[in-house]
Amino acid sequence: MLTPQYVKTSIEERIGRIRLNRPERYNALNRTMIREIVEAMEQFDQDEAVAVIVLDGEGKSFSAGADIEEMLDATPISMELLDPFADWDRISRLHKPLIAAVHGFVLGGGFELALACDLIYATPETQFGFPEVGLGVMPGAGGTQRLTNRIGRTRALEWLWTGDRMSASEAHHLGIINRIVEADQLEANVLAVAGRIAAQPMMSVRLIKDAVDKAGDLSLQDGMDHERRNFYLLFGTSDQTEGMQAFLDKRQPTFKGN
Ligand code: CO8
């Protein structure tokens, strides 16, 4: 990948960090930026030095959504040919935990990006919302599906139709975000959670995500069959032997990630 223009990346103690970096536009997501975010995620997903990926935003907000200027002259045909959501779809194929640490405005495509992450932590002042209806469009990067999966049809329709902004406490109450953390502690808190997950046996973390992702797509029995296969697979790892032996020896386990 060439040097990214709109994201900053770094690796700190097995945490791959991606920071949206277009603060003068509230981190509005243009196509290049989305491509850069997804490529950074995929690089970290493949990098053995990274166990968990954390996404946040530079400046006053996480993201005010897709770049409206870029979309203004789009047509159905230009959209079809461009296939802008092909990049977004790649996020669902990542294996490592993705954590969003959000603040300020988390709107439209910015909200969809956060919802595509596995865990979301937000400051008390964060405002979430899908204002697309007021622009004569609608969410296109999974917002109608992921919001409905999280909060149910009736509540999702109200937020999507009104375009109202949702406070962090409403989002927390609705189960959309994991936790509300004061702004000056958000980064430290998220890195602490990421660090705890990074210290877990890697294959367990990976196959738990894989099984949980099936819960929305498969019937209960098919989902449980899938879970069982993942459970059996973990008996092929050295971390399973170590985890169970350490318990029996009454000592702390030392996991190797395989
Ligand atoms: N796109 C482009 N530019 C933006 C965006 C955006 N989404 N949001 C803010 N900006 C720009 C403004 O135009 C302004 O630029 P300039 O300084 O050149 O005038 C600058 O950022 C600062 O913004 P404001 O002056 O408006 O700042 P305020 O503090 O008054 O307001 C808000 C901040 C509330 C965030 C306001 O800017 C706003 O409402 N932004 C638009 C929010 C929105 O409607 N988002 C939804 C976009 S549509 C979408 O996300 C569809 C997703 C589907 C995926 C599509 C993939 C192709």
Side-chain angles (χ1 to χ4, degrees):
M1 183 169 76
L2 297 171
T3 309
Q5 192 181 349
Y6 299 114
V7 299
K8 286 192 280 194
T9 62
S10 60
I11 301 176
E12 295 163 30
E13 299 185 5
R14 307 196 64 224
I15 301 165
R17 303 193 58 181
I18 303 171
R19 178 159 291 173
L20 312 186
N21 190 27
R22 203 188 175 201
E24 70 286 359
R25 293 259 161 174
Y26 284 90
N27 295 323
L29 303 161
N30 60 31
R31 283 191 292 276
T32 305
M33 191 165 167
I34 280 294
R35 172 75 48 92
E36 288 178 357
I37 294 165
V38 174
E39 285 183 355
M41 287 176 171
E42 286 178 337
Q43 279 192 5
F44 285 149
D45 205 50
Q46 293 295 320
D47 188 339
E48 283 183 17
V50 171
V52 175
I53 303 168
V54 169
L55 185 65
D56 62 11
E58 183 70 46
K60 285 194 272 185
S61 280
F62 177 69
S63 173
D67 189 322
I68 297 170
E69 210 178 322
E70 195 179 59
M71 288 185 293
L72 178 67
D73 297 323
T75 66
I77 301 296
S78 72
M79 283 278 182
E80 167 68 21
L81 293 176
L82 200 63
D83 193 10
F85 300 112
D87 284 329
W88 290 79
D89 287 344
R90 289 155 63 188
I91 301 174
S92 319
R93 290 195 280 275
L94 301 170
H95 300 286
K96 290 180 183 166
L98 262 180
I99 306 180
V102 303
H103 71 290
F105 295 113
V106 183
L107 303 177
F111 196 4
E112 291 175 303
L113 183 60
L115 287 171
C117 294
D118 301 310
L119 307 178
I120 306 175
Y121 294 82
T123 64
E125 295 77 26
T126 308
Q127 294 185 50
F128 301 85
F130 283 118
E132 285 92 334
V133 67
L135 300 169
V137 288
M138 59 184 281
T144 60
Q145 307 304 298
R146 289 201 169 100
L147 186 69
T148 305
N149 287 346
R150 301 280 211 290
I151 69 175
R153 183 176 192 276
T154 311
R155 288 191 287 210
L157 278 173
E158 188 178 39
W159 290 110
L160 290 159
W161 277 339
T162 61
D164 282 351
R165 300 224 188 110
M166 186 189 289
S167 68
S169 66
E170 282 168 314
H172 187 241
H173 179 71
L174 288 166
I176 294 171
I177 63 175
N178 291 81
R179 221 173 280 279
I180 300 174
V181 185
E182 291 298 332
D184 58 354
Q185 293 159 29
L186 182 68
E187 187 170 21
N189 263 263
V190 168
L191 292 180
V193 174
R196 286 185 57 203
I197 299 170
Q200 302 284 26
M202 192 191 70
M203 285 308 292
S204 295
V205 170
R206 182 181 177 110
L207 295 190
I208 287 169
K209 173 165 169 166
D210 176 74
V212 167
D213 282 345
K214 294 289 180 288
D217 298 338
L218 301 180
S219 70
L220 177 61
Q221 191 55 56
D222 287 347
M224 293 205 301
D225 289 344
H226 187 86
E227 174 190 74
R228 217 157 286 165
R229 279 190 291 274
N230 286 2
F231 178 74
Y232 296 154
L233 266 180
L234 290 171
F235 286 81
T237 63
S238 73
D239 285 347
Q240 171 268 327
T241 315
E242 169 64 7
M244 293 191 177
Q245 193 61 57
F247 174 79
L248 295 173
D249 295 347
K250 303 191 188 308
R251 63 173 170 81
Q252 285 300 313
T254 307
F255 294 121
K256 291 190 182 140
N258 57 34

